[in-house]
Amino acid sequence: QQHSTAEPVWVHNADYGETGHLTDQQYLAVLKSRARNTAPRRPVLDISRSQPPGTADNIASAIQSGHPSTLTRIEGRSQIRAQRRAALRGQRAPDSSQSLDEYPFASVVEGGAGAQVGPVPQIEQNIQGGQLSSFYQKYNLRQGDQFDVRIVDY
C-alpha cells in the first residue's frame, strides 16, 4: 500500500524533523531499519579453547584452512553414520586413549568426505559430543537449520 506525502504517517520513536511527519521515503527507511534489527540470527556454537583444547585446535585449524564456520544440521542416525564413515575413510585408527575428531561434524551437511580429521583424547571427544548435542537441543536445531561455530579463548 502506498502512503501519500500529503497525509502524515506517524511512527513511534521516529525523528519527525521540523514538519512533524515522515515522508514516504523516511517511513520506508524506518521499516527497513526495524526489519534489519529483528532479523533472526543463527545460533552460535562457542567452542572454548580451554575445554576441550584438542578438539578446539582441530576446529580452529579446519576453519583457518578453509572449512566453513556456518554449518547446516542433518538428522537421522544412518545419515550421520554415513557422514562419519566418509570422513574417516582411509584414516589410521588412533591408540586406545584417543579418538578421531572430524570437522565439519558428521551431523552437518558440510561434514563427511573432505572433513579435517585429527586424533584427540577420548574424553575430549565425549565432552564435545555432549556440548554439540546440548546445543542442538537448546536451539531446537532440526534438519536444514544453520548455525555458526566460533572458537573462543583463542
Side-chain angles (χ1 to χ4, degrees), residues 25 40 43-44 47 52 62 64 69 72 78-79 96 124 130 148 153:
Q25 288 179 330
V44 177
I47 304 289
Q64 287 173 352
S69 60
T72 310
S78 63
Q79 193 174 5
S96 62
E124 288 191 23
D148 293 319
D153 307 334

Side-chain angles (χ1 to χ4, degrees), residues 54-67:
T55 56
D57 286 344
N58 188 48
I59 293 168
S61 172
I63 292 171
Q64 287 173 352
S65 68
H67 287 281

Side-chain angles (χ1 to χ4, degrees), residues 14-22 26:
D15 179 10
Y16 298 105
E18 292 180 24
T19 63
H21 62 282
L22 295 175
Q26 291 169 325

Side-chain angles (χ1 to χ4, degrees), residues 46-102:
D46 284 331
I47 304 289
S48 173
R49 170 71 176 87
S50 61
Q51 180 186 347
T55 56
D57 286 344
N58 188 48
I59 293 168
S61 172
I63 292 171
Q64 287 173 352
S65 68
H67 287 281
S69 60
T70 298
L71 304 176
T72 310
R73 172 88 159 102
I74 61 171
E75 294 183 292
R77 289 182 184 179
S78 63
Q79 193 174 5
I80 293 170
R81 276 195 290 263
Q83 290 280 83
R84 185 166 288 115
R85 277 193 305 273
L88 301 181
R89 189 169 293 122
Q91 298 288 324
R92 287 185 20 190
D95 68 44
S96 62
S97 68
Q98 295 197 317
S99 177
L100 292 176
D101 178 59
E102 75 269 5

Side-chain angles (χ1 to χ4, degrees), residues 6-153:
E7 298 177 29
V9 176
W10 298 95
V11 179
H12 183 66
N13 291 336
D15 179 10
Y16 298 105
E18 292 180 24
T19 63
H21 62 282
L22 295 175
T23 65
D24 285 348
Q25 288 179 330
Q26 291 169 325
Y27 177 72
L28 290 174
V30 168
L31 291 179
K32 286 179 183 178
S33 173
R34 285 184 179 172
R36 275 193 306 274
N37 292 335
T38 60
R41 301 189 195 286
R42 287 188 297 265
V44 177
L45 173 63
D46 284 331
I47 304 289
S48 173
R49 170 71 176 87
S50 61
Q51 180 186 347
T55 56
D57 286 344
N58 188 48
I59 293 168
S61 172
I63 292 171
Q64 287 173 352
S65 68
H67 287 281
S69 60
T70 298
L71 304 176
T72 310
R73 172 88 159 102
I74 61 171
E75 294 183 292
R77 289 182 184 179
S78 63
Q79 193 174 5
I80 293 170
R81 276 195 290 263
Q83 290 280 83
R84 185 166 288 115
R85 277 193 305 273
L88 301 181
R89 189 169 293 122
Q91 298 288 324
R92 287 185 20 190
D95 68 44
S96 62
S97 68
Q98 295 197 317
S99 177
L100 292 176
D101 178 59
E102 75 269 5
Y103 183 86
F105 313 115
S107 58
V108 299
V109 170
E110 298 79 8
Q116 179 163 311
V117 177
V120 298
Q122 181 65 50
I123 188 69
E124 288 191 23
Q125 187 76 344
N126 296 342
I127 291 169
Q128 182 196 46
Q131 289 171 338
L132 190 55
S133 178
S134 294
F135 177 77
Y136 289 156
Q137 289 175 9
K138 177 180 180 179
Y139 292 100
N140 194 31
L141 294 176
R142 298 289 180 231
Q143 181 82 24
D145 291 344
Q146 289 192 314
F147 63 97
D148 293 319
V149 176
R150 177 175 59 191
I151 304 294
V152 295
D153 307 334

